[in-house]
Amino acid sequence: MPSYARETLSELLTPATCALLTVECQRGVVGPDGALPELAAAARETGALDTVARLVSAAHDTPVQVLHAVAERRADGRGANRNARLFRAAERLPVRQLSGSEAVRIAEPIPVAAEDLIVRRLHGLSPIAGTDVDALLRNLGCRTLVITGVSANVAIPNAVFDAVNLGYTAVVPADAIVGVPVDYTPAVIRNTLALVATVTTAEEIIACWRRSRAR
C-alpha cells in the first residue's frame, strides 16, 4: 500500500470539502439474506462492513457529508440494463433489489443519519455516472470523495474512475472495500486503484477527521 504524508492526507480529508460514499451497502447485497451470499460473507468476515460503519459514524461526528449509493430496479424492470451477463444474472437471483423493498435499505450495522443523502440508480454499473452524485457533491463544495463498500470487482472501480474523471480526488480505505474472491481485492487495489486514488486505511481517515475536530 502506498505511503502518504500525514499532512497531505489531512488536507485531502478536510471535512468541509470531503464526502464519504458507501456503495451498495444494502440489505439485498451484503445483508445476511442477500442475493449475493459469497459477497455478503466476504463483507462481514473480513470486517469490511463493520469498517464502513465506523467510517460513517466518524463522518457523522464531523461536517463530512455521507452519501449512500443504492442499486435498485423497478418490479417491471423498466430502464434496467440487459446488455451484460451481470445484469441478466441479476434478474434470476432469488432476492431482487426492488425499489421500496427491504433489499434496498442500508444494511446493518451502518448508521443512517437524517442529513445523509441516499442516491438511487435504476441502471448501469456506476454509483456516480448517470446519478445525482456529481451535482450533489459540487453543490456541497466537495473536492475529495472517500469511497467504500462493494464490490471491488465492479462498482468500486467504476466509482473511483468516475470520481477521478470528474475532477475529484478519490480516497480508498483498503479495509473498507471488498470483492470476491477475497484475495482479489488487494490485487485490484495494488494494480489498479492505487494508480488513480489515494489508498489508505479507515483508521488513518478517522484520525484525520478527529484532528480536524480538535483544532
Side-chain angles (χ1 to χ4, degrees):
M1 185 182 302
S3 175
Y4 297 93
R6 186 176 298 274
E7 293 75 19
T8 301
L9 188 61
S10 294
E11 289 169 2
L12 289 177
L13 297 172
T14 300
T17 56
C18 176
L20 171 66
L21 179 71
T22 75
V23 177
E24 295 182 27
C25 291
Q26 56 203 76
R27 292 182 180 182
V29 175
V30 294
D33 300 315
L36 304 168
E38 185 181 2
L39 181 58
R44 293 180 182 278
E45 291 168 8
T46 62
L49 197 61
D50 288 331
T51 302
V52 174
R54 287 195 296 114
L55 280 164
V56 172
S57 293
H60 287 163
D61 291 334
T62 72
V64 172
Q65 178 66 54
V66 177
L67 300 91
H68 304 281
V70 174
E72 58 183 51
R73 60 184 290 119
R74 288 168 51 111
D76 60 10
R78 284 182 181 272
N81 290 69
R82 293 181 177 82
N83 57 334
R85 286 178 55 199
L86 179 64
F87 301 123
R88 295 191 294 272
E91 292 180 347
R92 299 191 297 270
L93 292 173
V95 177
R96 303 173 70 201
Q97 315 300 317
L98 298 181
S99 301
S101 71
E102 285 292 309
V104 298
R105 292 186 60 184
I106 303 303
E108 295 81 1
I110 297 172
V112 179
E115 62 269 21
D116 291 1
L117 298 171
I118 298 180
V119 181
R120 306 181 184 278
R121 78 178 193 274
L122 292 171
H123 63 87
L125 298 170
S126 175
I128 297 178
T131 74
D132 292 335
V133 169
D134 180 37
L136 293 172
L137 292 177
R138 292 186 188 281
N139 288 345
L140 290 162
C142 295
R143 300 307 311 151
T144 298
L145 187 60
V146 180
I147 297 170
T148 67
V150 298
S151 72
N153 305 74
V154 178
I156 295 297
N158 264 267
V160 171
F161 295 149
D162 287 341
V164 172
N165 285 334
L166 289 166
Y168 299 98
T169 297
V171 174
V172 176
D175 48 350
I177 68 169
V178 70
V180 289
V182 169
D183 59 4
Y184 176 73
T185 302
V188 78
I189 290 172
R190 181 174 59 253
N191 297 304
T192 302
L193 301 185
L195 302 178
V196 294
T198 297
V199 178
T200 184
T201 66
E203 281 306 316
E204 281 291 327
I205 293 171
I206 292 170
C208 287
W209 289 342
R210 285 174 178 162
R211 284 194 297 274
S212 72
R213 291 170 55 199
R215 293 192 190 115

